[in-house]
Amino acid sequence: RGAQHSTPMSAACRKGSARSCARIGGLGSATSHPAASCRRWQARRASPREAGVARGRCAAVLKGNPVGSPSLSLDLDKVRDALIRMEDSIIFAIIERSQFLRNDKVYEPGAIPVPGYNLKSGDQQSMVEYILRQTEQMHGMIRRYTSPDEHAFFPEDLPSLVLPPIEYPSLLHPHAEGININDQVRALYFEELLPRICEEGDDGNYGSSALCDITLLQALSKRIHYGKYVAESKYKASPDTYDPLIRAKDEAGIMNLLTVESVERRVVRRVRNKACVFGQDIQDVMGTISLTQEDIEQAESKVEPEKVAKLYNDWIMPLNKQVQLEYLLHRLD
């Protein structure tokens, strides 16, 4: 809306709007003068290409040092550490969701009266879709989805920023910005994962179930799309090996290079062991925890470790490699 104003803003007005927006921290209403001015300021700073690609969101234009993050790195050790942390987040999120029954009403459009509707069909949204959309609205305003390692499930509906944009380090090929397979992540979650981690039934914990779903969906999305960084790290380590296959669009050859079965088996084994330990109640909190493999296998776990391991082996790693393949196929564009 701000881009349609015909009167240019002065430099003093732009600076004042940015300072006002930073002070209020994005808590003002959408119609308050500082936030609205800040959006107009951002819209004017963005180039037509950036505005088109980001669908109205602001590109990183702040001057100064780029913002760093432990997960935004191509160093192989840091990439490995980031992947391990993501494993922890996913396993804990699975344990949290598994404490509730399936609660199918949460996923049925119109089953729970939420004030959200499909603009094309007019159908009422499901409770989980409504909460996910509203969550992305809030997170989108405060810059979550301007970070290159975050991907919205409804990117076409993201709002304008209420904070000045941030400059992130440029580590990936520009094609990475267009890779988003969250439609597949949602299908994976609702069709394959959810029935395996939750027992059938309805316990009435609809809001809690939906919030756990969203936390887990976001963790899965981040882990799967991190394949862009994995792919770039692998490419930089051996460009002469990848270049002929990329030029030939040899998908099978690239996938063969990406697949290291010994590493994948090690990841699955680590995830299974983590699920065993994380899913137990530790009784002797003051003593030293020392569990044998037999202790772990005999203990009652909040989530079945084999199911978590299967999730990684059958879905998360294949989708991650799909992202890697898509990225590498366009790495030389």
Side-chain angles (χ1 to χ4, degrees):
R1 290 192 299 273
Q4 296 174 358
H5 285 251
S6 58
T7 304
M9 297 175 64
S10 67
C13 181
R14 288 196 298 271
K15 292 179 181 177
S17 298
R19 285 195 298 270
S20 299
C21 186
R23 283 197 300 272
I24 64 173
L27 298 178
S29 69
T31 57
S32 64
H33 175 70
S37 297
C38 187
R39 285 196 297 273
R40 288 196 296 271
W41 168 69
Q42 294 163 359
R44 291 187 176 281
R45 293 294 296 269
S47 69
R49 177 184 175 277
E50 290 164 343
V53 172
R55 295 181 180 273
R57 290 179 292 155
C58 296
V61 295
L62 288 186
K63 294 182 179 179
N65 295 326
V67 172
S69 169
S71 62
L72 301 181
S73 173
L74 297 179
D75 179 81
L76 289 175
D77 289 336
K78 291 184 178 179
V79 168
R80 191 178 301 110
D81 290 343
L83 292 173
I84 291 174
R85 286 195 305 274
M86 293 175 199
E87 291 172 7
D88 298 347
S89 299
I90 290 171
I91 294 170
F92 279 119
I94 289 175
I95 292 172
E96 285 296 296
R97 181 59 184 92
S98 66
Q99 67 182 302
F100 304 112
L101 298 181
R102 183 87 62 82
N103 295 323
D104 289 334
K105 286 186 178 180
V106 175
Y107 315 104
E108 298 172 5
I112 299 174
V114 295
Y117 297 85
N118 186 300
L119 295 179
K120 293 182 179 180
S121 66
D123 296 334
Q124 195 170 34
Q125 297 167 356
S126 67
M127 185 179 189
V128 72
E129 180 182 348
Y130 174 74
I131 297 178
L132 178 55
R133 285 180 178 274
Q134 295 303 309
T135 300
E136 291 194 342
Q137 288 290 303
M138 174 57 71
H139 292 183
M141 286 192 291
I142 56 176
R143 303 186 295 213
R144 175 172 186 169
Y145 299 109
T146 62
S147 176
D149 63 341
E150 295 283 357
H151 299 76
F153 285 85
F154 304 103
E156 68 281 358
D157 293 333
L158 289 178
S160 301
L161 299 178
V162 298
L163 297 175
I166 296 175
E167 181 182 1
Y168 289 94
S170 179
L171 301 176
L172 302 177
H173 186 278
H175 181 73
E177 188 175 356
I179 300 176
N180 186 330
I181 63 169
N182 272 338
D183 286 344
Q184 292 177 250
V185 175
R186 289 178 67 198
L188 156 72
Y189 181 74
F190 294 119
E191 297 173 10
E192 303 291 347
L193 173 58
L194 192 62
R196 287 170 167 77
I197 64 174
C198 296
E199 296 181 7
E200 286 278 2
D202 189 317
D203 56 20
N205 289 298
Y206 302 145
S208 298
S209 298
L211 291 176
C212 289
D213 289 330
I214 291 168
T215 299
L216 184 46
L217 278 169
Q218 291 172 333
L220 289 170
S221 173
K222 188 166 187 174
R223 172 61 176 81
I224 289 168
H225 287 98
Y226 200 70
K228 301 175 189 181
Y229 289 88
V230 176
E232 181 66 17
S233 296
K234 291 178 178 179
Y235 175 81
K236 284 188 175 298
S238 184
D240 294 339
T241 303
Y242 281 97
D243 283 352
L245 299 176
I246 294 173
R247 292 192 178 96
K249 301 297 182 184
D250 185 351
E251 296 187 12
I254 295 173
M255 186 62 76
N256 186 54
L257 282 179
L258 295 175
T259 303
V260 183
E261 293 185 358
S262 61
V263 173
E264 293 183 358
R265 286 195 298 269
R266 189 161 62 246
V267 170
V268 172
R269 185 167 60 249
R270 184 176 65 232
V271 167
R272 183 189 297 110
N273 291 340
K274 283 183 178 181
C276 286
V277 175
F278 295 171
Q280 294 185 66
D281 290 322
I282 306 300
Q283 303 296 333
D284 187 9
V285 295
M286 298 302 293
T288 300
I289 299 175
S290 179
L291 298 174
T292 66
Q293 186 64 31
E294 184 179 358
D295 293 332
I296 292 174
E297 292 174 354
Q298 291 180 355
E300 184 177 352
S301 178
K302 299 182 181 72
V303 62
E304 293 185 32
E306 283 300 327
K307 290 184 177 180
V308 180
K310 184 175 178 62
L311 163 70
Y312 253 79
N313 188 68
D314 294 353
W315 295 298
I316 292 182
M317 289 196 295
L319 285 179
N320 180 275
K321 287 194 291 185
Q322 179 181 327
V323 170
Q324 293 183 53
L325 176 63
E326 171 64 20
Y327 177 83
L328 289 173
L329 284 172
H330 298 273
R331 179 59 179 76
L332 301 180
D333 289 0

